[in-house]
Amino acid sequence: MNIDGPAARKRGSSIKHGKEKALETIGILGLGYVGLPLAVEFAEAGKRVVCVDVNAQRVAELRRGESYIEDIPSARLQAVMDRLDPTTRPAGLALCDAVVICVPTPLTANREPDLSPLMSAATELSHHLQRGQLVVLESTTYPGTTRERLAPVLEESGLQVGVDFHLAFSPERVDPGREDHTLRNTPKVIGGLTDACRERAIELYGTVCDEVVPVSCPETAEMTKLLENIFRSVNIALVNELSILADRMDIDIREVVDAASTKPFGFMRFEPGPGMGGHCLPVDPFYLTWKAREYDMVTEFIELAGKVNKQMPYFCIEKIERALNEAGKPVKDARILIVGVSYKAGVGDLREAPALKIIELLRERGGDVRYHDPHVPELPQFGLRSTEPGDCDLAVIVTAHPGVDHGAVIDVAPSVLDLRGVTRARRDAKVRQL
């Protein structure tokens, strides 16, 4: 690979085969929470979209016009089906003017980056890569991945990055369930391996994003995404740790946060809770801690935040045990209703959801656990199905879905532990807060 090192990051380069064609056919590799919404956006912008995923069930559902992503209603998907080509076969990517990679970037069991889905996707793409194509990576990863890992695999095609094809990194900024900030109105950060790569990526995203934010290189774009998530992780960890201290001091942490939030400068509100969920916050910061070791640095702040947040379900178990003890009941055989099991309100996403850990810990202690969540009909790993709030010894509000009547939960349960502060205004004596 000829484009390498800090000096090369500033060197512009152009594709040498003449005037480039318009970006009319787009390939999406990976059709999850990032890839499918992106595919639909491009289709709504009039592009033809080749949608590739290794999951045959997903592809079959898409061909039937059925969406498995809550942010994309089936009706919206069906409106653009004539411009979508869902398939498990990557050969169709050869017909695309641009290909966007949106595959998972998880952690291994040892909490280290697992790039195997990305490397597999890159290898498949290299077999079909064409001269003049643009390739963009959106999957969150550590700085250097696009240049040091992705580019060499793509160049196994015999084509040279920056000369025969374009390559850029543009981090996804998807927040499932959010309607005020969408792909269209959320600024899009873009870093290319060359100036021409960046400009070609700007051309692509300009069709579906109102604002693009060009940066000097892929490494800056990769680091930007990690900073965004680490900022949230560290601040959530801070307020979570303070919530544990405030509990011991018999101080209402949410009243403290409310009061601090009245300061019009120098303070940003973060809420305490049962732990972090989703793909981003529990996973992404550890991509940077792993990379930092290469530079003889231990990112103590990041790792401490991860440790604090990961311990929050255990603190919640302690609160549950105390609530039951006050009623003269042990956890064993206690009927415990978990209200809300997805990782955030308004969606059914279970990735890294704290409620799953809480259920696991309660079951280990002999608790008779059931749950209520209108967004999650069943938890097959526990053999449970969502049930209506009813007879129980303790109801624990873990995720506060907007469509759930939490007042009704208080009415039917003899005791309630609210881990989200959604019932504070009621000030009921049988409700305990985090």
Side-chain angles (χ1 to χ4, degrees):
M1 182 179 170
N2 295 333
I3 298 175
D4 194 18
R9 297 176 193 173
K10 302 178 182 179
R11 184 171 66 243
S13 179
S14 60
I15 306 300
K16 296 181 178 180
H17 62 284
K19 184 177 180 179
E20 295 184 82
K21 61 181 292 192
L23 297 166
E24 294 299 333
T25 303
I26 314 300
I28 305 292
L29 254 174
L31 302 173
Y33 284 88
V34 176
L36 182 58
L38 187 60
V40 171
E41 286 279 356
F42 278 124
E44 289 175 339
K47 310 296 183 182
R48 295 205 61 83
V49 187
V50 177
C51 308
V52 181
D53 200 288
V54 296
N55 188 321
Q57 181 178 339
R58 278 185 176 179
V59 170
E61 290 176 5
L62 292 179
R63 286 176 175 169
R64 294 194 300 266
E66 299 172 3
S67 175
Y68 45 83
I69 300 295
E70 288 177 287
D71 286 352
I72 303 296
S74 293
R76 184 180 174 193
L77 175 66
Q78 292 161 10
V80 294
M81 281 303 297
D82 60 331
R83 291 191 289 277
L84 297 178
D85 180 18
T87 179
T88 58
R89 300 175 181 273
L93 297 174
L95 304 175
C96 297
D97 303 308
V99 178
V100 184
I101 302 174
C102 307
V103 298
T105 44
L107 295 173
T108 68
N110 295 324
R111 310 292 290 174
E112 294 184 347
D114 179 5
L115 294 183
S116 56
L118 173 57
M119 292 297 98
S120 177
T123 299
E124 285 290 348
L125 178 56
S126 71
H127 297 155
H128 308 286
L129 193 65
Q130 302 295 308
R131 188 179 301 274
Q133 280 185 328
L134 164 67
V135 178
V136 182
L137 176 61
E138 285 213 6
S139 308
T140 306
T141 186
Y142 57 80
T145 301
T146 306
R147 187 185 303 274
E148 299 164 6
R149 299 297 304 276
L150 179 56
V153 175
L154 295 179
E155 287 189 329
E156 291 176 5
S157 64
L159 301 178
Q160 184 179 346
V161 66
V163 176
D164 301 308
F165 70 95
H166 295 295
L167 180 60
F169 181 82
S170 181
E172 57 88 4
R173 281 174 160 174
V174 173
D175 190 3
R178 190 153 194 164
E179 297 180 358
D180 54 342
H181 293 293
T182 64
L183 177 65
R184 170 62 67 179
N185 64 12
T186 300
K188 199 81 172 76
V189 175
I190 299 172
L193 264 75
T194 67
D195 292 345
C197 291
R198 182 179 65 244
E199 293 306 310
R200 191 64 164 163
I202 290 172
E203 180 185 348
L204 172 68
Y205 285 108
T207 62
V208 292
C209 299
D210 292 338
E211 180 183 354
V212 296
V213 182
V215 295
S216 60
C217 61
E219 290 79 2
T220 297
E222 290 161 337
M223 188 76 149
T224 297
K225 172 64 174 180
L226 293 177
L227 173 59
E228 292 168 5
N229 288 341
I230 290 167
F231 173 81
R232 291 174 61 202
S233 174
V234 167
N235 281 281
I236 291 171
L238 172 62
V239 74
N240 277 340
E241 187 169 60
L242 289 178
S243 73
I244 297 173
L245 175 60
D247 179 71
R248 295 185 183 183
M249 300 175 72
D250 196 24
I251 296 173
D252 182 349
I253 185 61
R254 295 190 189 277
E255 184 180 10
V256 172
V257 173
D258 285 346
S261 297
T262 63
K263 185 179 180 182
F265 55 89
F267 182 82
M268 182 175 290
R269 184 186 187 105
F270 287 86
E271 301 288 347
M276 294 191 308
H279 173 75
C280 294
L281 299 193
V283 174
D284 296 347
F286 293 99
Y287 267 67
L288 190 59
T289 63
W290 178 85
K291 187 66 175 177
R293 296 176 205 149
E294 202 176 295
Y295 296 86
D296 297 324
M297 182 171 178
V298 177
T299 51
E300 297 181 49
F301 232 57
I302 300 172
E303 295 187 33
L304 180 58
K307 180 180 178 182
V308 170
N309 289 325
K310 199 169 180 61
Q311 289 299 311
M312 285 306 292
Y314 293 89
F315 174 62
C316 294
I317 292 295
E318 180 186 330
K319 295 278 289 186
I320 291 170
E321 289 173 336
R322 272 191 269 159
L324 287 169
N325 284 342
E326 289 180 17
K329 297 180 180 293
V331 173
K332 183 174 175 59
D333 296 327
R335 296 163 300 168
I336 304 167
L337 175 69
I338 303 297
V339 182
V341 296
S342 61
Y343 90 86
K344 66 175 292 188
V347 301
D349 193 342
L350 290 169
R351 292 176 298 173
E352 304 288 332
L356 301 183
K357 187 64 177 180
I358 291 172
I359 292 173
E360 176 189 327
L361 294 172
L362 287 173
R363 283 191 145 192
E364 288 176 358
R365 289 158 173 77
D368 177 8
V369 183
R370 68 282 310 265
Y371 80 95
H372 172 70
D373 192 315
H375 296 272
V376 183
E378 61 179 338
L379 293 174
Q381 66 270 48
F382 296 116
L384 296 174
R385 294 189 64 84
S386 179
T387 182
E388 289 302 310
D391 191 29
C392 64
D393 296 311
L394 174 69
V396 184
I397 300 172
V398 179
T399 302
H401 291 302
V404 172
D405 185 348
H406 295 99
V409 172
I410 295 174
D411 291 337
V412 300
S415 182
V416 176
L417 175 60
D418 182 1
L419 304 180
R420 294 293 185 179
V422 70
T423 64
R424 287 179 66 212
R426 179 138 173 178
R427 298 189 182 280
D428 194 300
K430 66 179 178 180
V431 180
R432 296 161 181 80
Q433 301 294 327
L434 178 66

